[in-house]
Amino acid sequence: MASSKSISNYPEQVLSYHDSVLYASDVALIEQSNWLNDHCILFWFQVLEYDEQVWLDNESPGQGSQQYKTVDILFLQPASAFMIQFLSANELLIGTEDNVFLTIKDKELVFIPVVGNADMNAGGGSHWSLLVYHNEKFYHLDSSNGSNRFTARSLASRFISLLSNVKNLNFLTINSAPQQSNSYDCGVFVLANAEYIAANYLKSGKLVFPTSDAHVVGKRKQMLQVIARLSAE
């Protein structure tokens, strides 16, 4: 069990998984109930994008993987979301066919991590929330009473510039989104909310938003277990 292994037993670089790299200091943030950084957010978004076992773990007993539909979902990397906040569409849309910003317009569902008080020079931020894009609408889930509303709305407005078929901003706040009871779990809520919404959409083709924190409980433990499993492969 990853949760029973001391962080001191990990080497400095714990895991390289697709576009993400986790270091011992990153795993410590998960293990010791601290604010998650962009490495942690990116890692779990990469897991949701590439790790089939996580989705198997989300299935209802006896139903099997056939309950999931094929959907073109994008879990936008934190660095890409950060770039949208500070760079123009002309700057973002330059590049080759593998430029993620050129593919956004074709995605059915996009999950965007929003970080408040971001600094273009220093990086980082103070609070994570989740922006979901679907059918020309943005849905904002914030676990801290709308702390990131202004930032999320601004990011959504800039996101539209990457979509040739969308002209007007349709921004909705999900007021029923579960709220954190501490100062450090915002990133965990972002990851758990994204996974919850994606799993329900893959099963039903509908957006279903969480109304309690039941899906958040145990998320750190699950992340540590997945880190241990992937590190051993």
Side-chain angles (χ1 to χ4, degrees), residues 18-83:
H18 292 273
D19 290 339
S20 69
V21 176
L22 284 180
Y23 296 92
S25 56
D26 303 319
V27 179
L29 297 177
I30 303 170
E31 190 176 53
Q32 300 171 7
S33 296
N34 289 311
W35 189 86
L36 300 187
N37 63 13
D38 56 338
H39 290 180
C40 300
I41 302 296
L42 172 58
F43 165 70
W44 199 250
F45 269 21
Q46 294 283 278
V47 166
L48 295 179
E49 186 167 350
Y50 295 108
D51 185 31
E52 181 179 355
Q53 185 59 49
V54 165
W55 294 111
L56 292 175
D57 292 342
N58 270 316
E59 291 173 358
S60 300
Q63 290 189 5
S65 60
Q66 291 183 356
Q67 67 178 300
Y68 286 125
K69 306 177 187 301
T70 300
V71 179
D72 199 356
I73 295 178
L74 173 62
F75 295 94
L76 193 67
Q77 298 186 10
S80 298
F82 188 85
M83 291 170 68

Side-chain angles (χ1 to χ4, degrees), residues 23-232:
Y23 296 92
S25 56
D26 303 319
V27 179
L29 297 177
I30 303 170
E31 190 176 53
Q32 300 171 7
S33 296
N34 289 311
W35 189 86
L36 300 187
N37 63 13
D38 56 338
H39 290 180
C40 300
I41 302 296
L42 172 58
F43 165 70
W44 199 250
F45 269 21
Q46 294 283 278
V47 166
L48 295 179
E49 186 167 350
Y50 295 108
D51 185 31
E52 181 179 355
Q53 185 59 49
V54 165
W55 294 111
L56 292 175
D57 292 342
N58 270 316
E59 291 173 358
S60 300
Q63 290 189 5
S65 60
Q66 291 183 356
Q67 67 178 300
Y68 286 125
K69 306 177 187 301
T70 300
V71 179
D72 199 356
I73 295 178
L74 173 62
F75 295 94
L76 193 67
Q77 298 186 10
S80 298
F82 188 85
M83 291 170 68
I84 293 175
Q85 289 185 253
F86 294 102
L87 300 180
S88 69
N90 289 336
E91 292 172 301
L92 294 173
L93 294 175
I94 294 176
T96 59
E97 292 182 358
D98 61 354
N99 181 347
V100 66
F101 300 112
L102 295 174
T103 69
I104 283 178
K105 65 182 184 301
D106 301 319
K107 302 299 180 180
E108 185 171 340
L109 185 61
V110 183
F111 293 95
I112 310 164
V114 181
V115 63
N117 297 316
D119 187 296
M120 179 63 177
N121 297 314
S126 61
H127 174 62
W128 293 105
S129 62
L130 179 66
L131 195 61
V132 182
Y133 175 75
H134 175 63
N135 279 351
E136 301 185 11
K137 293 181 180 179
F138 294 91
Y139 303 86
H140 185 225
L141 292 83
D142 193 330
S143 61
S144 185
N145 297 312
S147 297
N148 269 1
R149 177 177 169 78
F150 176 81
T151 302
R153 188 178 180 88
S154 174
L155 194 156
S157 180
R158 298 179 66 85
F159 189 95
I160 287 179
S161 65
L162 304 175
L163 307 170
S164 57
N165 59 327
V166 180
K167 302 302 179 185
N168 299 314
L169 176 62
N170 196 339
F171 181 93
L172 303 172
T173 298
I174 305 302
N175 293 315
S176 59
Q179 300 293 292
Q180 63 193 84
S181 58
N182 53 50
S183 62
Y184 51 78
D185 265 341
C186 54
V188 179
F189 273 78
V190 165
L191 301 178
N193 287 340
E195 185 174 342
Y196 179 97
I197 296 167
N200 279 280
Y201 190 86
L202 288 169
K203 295 173 186 177
S204 67
K206 299 178 181 179
L207 286 185
V208 179
F209 299 108
T211 56
S212 76
D213 64 357
H215 63 299
V216 182
V217 177
K219 181 57 63 181
R220 288 179 184 268
K221 180 179 179 181
Q222 182 195 15
M223 292 176 71
L224 291 169
Q225 290 172 335
V226 172
I227 291 168
R229 169 169 59 81
L230 293 176
S231 297

